[in-house]
Every structure is written in C-alpha cells, then in structure tokens.
Amino acid sequence: MIDFHSHFLPNVDDGAKDSNISLEYMEKFYNLGFNKFLLSSHIYPNLYENTPKDLLERFNKFQSMVKTYFKDKIEIFPGSEVYLSQDTVENICTGKVLTINNKKTHVLFEVDFTFLPPNLDDLIKEISKSKLSLIWAHPERNSEIIREPEKLGRFIDQDVLVQINLGSLGGQFGEEIEETAKKLLSKDMVHFIGSDCHCSPRRQFVFKEAMDIFDKYVNPHYKEDILINNAMRIFEGQLLYPFPYKVKEKGLWNKFKKFFKI
Ligand SMILES: [Fe+2]
C-alpha cells in the first residue's frame, strides 16, 4: 500500500526531528502493509520556506539511509504539501514549489483549517492554466467541509483530487472529522490515503484501527485504486481524473423515484 502524505523527511518542518525517529515510524507503517511513502514536507509562507533544491538534496541523503536500513523493502518519493492562498499561488504556477515526485504535474495542497479561501475557485483555475493538477490534502479537517461535506463536489468537478488522513478515520482529530472522513470515503470522493505522520507521540497511533474503518467504508470497486494505483499514476506524472462520486439525494420526489425505480 502507498502512504500518500507524510512528514518523514527529517528537520524540514514540524515532522520528524531526526532520521532515527523517521525510520522507526516508517517501520511501524511497513508492519501495517505500507511499502511506498510520499514525503510531503510543508511549504508554508514565513514558516517553512522549503525550496525544491533544498528538499531534493535532503531527500537524496535520506533515501540512502532508507536503502541501508530497509534494503529494497521500502521506496520513498519526494514531494511537498503547499499551503494554498493568494500569497502562494504565483510560486506554485511558476514552478517554485516541489511537485510530487518532481514530475511537475501534480501539487499536494492544504488550506486553512478554519475557512475556505473565498477565491478558491479562481486559485484552482489559475493553477490549472499552468498545466498543474491539484490534490487536496485532508479536506475533512476543514471546518467548512465538516459543516457541508458535499461542498467538496464542486472542486472535484474541477478535477481536484482528494487525499484523506487515515488518522481522521481512526478518530485522531475528534469525532466530527472522523464522521466527515467516513462520509467522503463512502461517497467515492477520496482518491488517496495518507498517514500525515509527523512522528510525534502527541498524535495517537490509531492506524491499525483506521485501516479496519477504511475497509468498512471504502467502495470495493475503488479500493485498490485508492491504496495503490492512483498514487502510482501520480508518481509517474500521468493524468488522473476523479471517480464519479455519489451526490446528495434532493427532495422526497427523488427518493420516491429511486424507491420505485421510476
Ligand atoms: Fe501534512
């Protein structure tokens, strides 16, 4: 399986503090069945100003440690998690952020937890004009998506792909986020899963339980795509379009029609 969001690259953000702790946590995930990891270090204005050059240099050093420790059992891929706002959109469009596996095709982004940027549609349009595709990291943690999970459909319609945190499914961030993650998954609005592991003992290790919940809520038809195939396509820089998702049933008449198969 592929972990499509992690902070295992040491000393670049609020993730792993050193390589030993990264290897220790990666082994825990390997024991759960994960053997490929996207190292998506934060890029956040005035806080984590990680450049592609610096991240790639550190990635190459860490990759040789991973090879020595795990032999060929584990593979890692470079990337970043970019905070998307009016201030960062230009950097994204002009190639100043590290794309997934440095393929210059896909960007993993996050937004603020407390609100959606009012011009999010414009930001998405601007980025897609520069031939980059977007993957939204853990939207289930955003308060507006929690309030109205169906809202995500508007962005999926613009070909934005979605990654949810396994920890959200396992209750790592509370009940509301857990319910939102389950809802998105059961509506086929999820295309990748990630640990978002920060190698911190402050976050409970709920991932075994989370995998059981994932199995319960995932559409079996898309399970292998979410766990493996979609991430592999992105690592290779290939195009990927969202699955058709289930829309909210509107009104009694639609329910009546569905019930009587009219
Ligand atoms: Fe993250």
Side-chain angles (χ1 to χ4, degrees), residues 5-7 13-14 40-42 80-81 108 110 113 137-138 141 163 165 195-198 203:
H5 184 154
S6 75
H7 298 269
D13 58 12
D14 58 346
S40 48
S41 312
H42 283 292
S80 67
E81 176 187 13
L108 181 71
E110 64 173 338
F113 291 129
H138 47 64
R141 296 185 66 190
Q163 173 265 314
N165 284 2
S195 65
D196 198 3
C197 181
H198 283 65
R203 287 193 183 187

Side-chain angles (χ1 to χ4, degrees), residues 11-251:
N11 283 316
V12 287
D13 58 12
D14 58 346
K17 296 282 170 275
D18 62 55
S19 47
N20 288 334
I21 195 153
S22 297
L23 298 172
E24 190 189 303
Y25 270 88
M26 285 169 82
E27 191 156 24
K28 287 187 187 197
F29 284 99
Y30 177 75
N31 291 334
L32 289 177
F34 289 90
N35 64 347
K36 291 183 171 60
F37 298 87
L38 173 65
L39 271 49
S40 48
S41 312
H42 283 292
I43 296 182
Y44 199 104
N46 305 318
L47 191 60
Y48 307 116
E49 305 263 16
N50 289 310
T51 64
K53 186 175 174 283
D54 188 39
L55 283 177
L56 285 170
E57 275 172 17
R58 286 169 181 268
F59 175 87
N60 290 336
K61 274 187 204 147
F62 184 59
Q63 192 176 37
S64 45
M65 284 183 207
V66 170
K67 277 202 174 129
T68 312
Y69 190 85
F70 291 108
K71 312 293 176 230
D72 288 326
K73 291 192 294 186
I74 278 181
E75 208 177 339
I76 57 172
F77 298 83
S80 67
E81 176 187 13
V82 188
Y83 183 82
L84 178 59
S85 70
Q86 192 59 55
D87 298 335
T88 58
V89 69
E90 199 191 322
N91 276 353
I92 296 173
C93 292
T94 53
K96 293 193 184 82
V97 304
L98 182 59
T99 53
I100 297 175
N101 203 19
N102 198 22
K103 291 285 181 186
K104 299 179 176 47
T105 52
H106 293 86
V107 172
L108 181 71
F109 76 95
E110 64 173 338
V111 293
D112 201 278
F113 291 129
T114 56
F115 65 93
L116 284 181
N119 60 343
L120 186 53
D121 295 86
D122 295 334
L123 298 178
I124 291 170
K125 268 188 208 114
E126 207 174 324
I127 294 168
S128 46
K129 265 191 237 157
S130 67
K131 303 272 179 267
L132 283 167
S133 301
L134 286 167
I135 302 170
W136 191 337
H138 47 64
E140 77 280 6
R141 296 185 66 190
N142 175 276
S143 58
E144 289 193 40
I145 300 294
I146 293 170
R147 213 174 307 128
E148 200 187 332
E150 289 78 12
K151 217 176 208 180
L152 197 58
R154 193 172 98 221
F155 303 102
I156 296 175
D157 292 343
Q158 297 171 66
D159 292 333
V160 173
L161 296 159
V162 173
Q163 173 265 314
I164 60 163
N165 284 2
L166 265 178
S168 300
L169 288 174
Q172 205 176 39
F173 309 103
E175 216 170 292
E176 279 189 319
I177 292 177
E178 181 181 336
E179 288 312 310
T180 309
K182 285 176 181 170
K183 201 173 266 183
L184 298 181
L185 186 59
S186 58
K187 285 184 175 293
D188 299 335
M189 287 177 150
V190 174
H191 312 100
F192 312 90
I193 52 161
S195 65
D196 198 3
C197 181
H198 283 65
C199 304
S200 161
R202 277 179 301 164
R203 287 193 183 187
Q204 252 191 311
F205 200 86
V206 295
F207 298 99
K208 190 170 180 333
E209 300 83 332
M211 283 312 297
D212 294 338
I213 297 170
F214 174 82
D215 281 339
K216 195 173 153 196
Y217 284 85
V218 72
N219 179 342
H221 187 67
Y222 296 129
K223 186 176 168 182
E224 207 169 299
D225 288 335
I226 297 171
L227 292 176
I228 303 166
N229 304 336
N230 287 352
M232 285 313 294
R233 285 188 73 94
I234 304 299
F235 289 153
E236 287 159 11
Q238 294 178 27
L239 270 175
L240 179 72
Y241 293 107
F243 319 128
Y245 58 88
K246 294 171 190 151
V247 284
K248 197 175 176 181
E249 291 284 324
K250 274 187 193 153

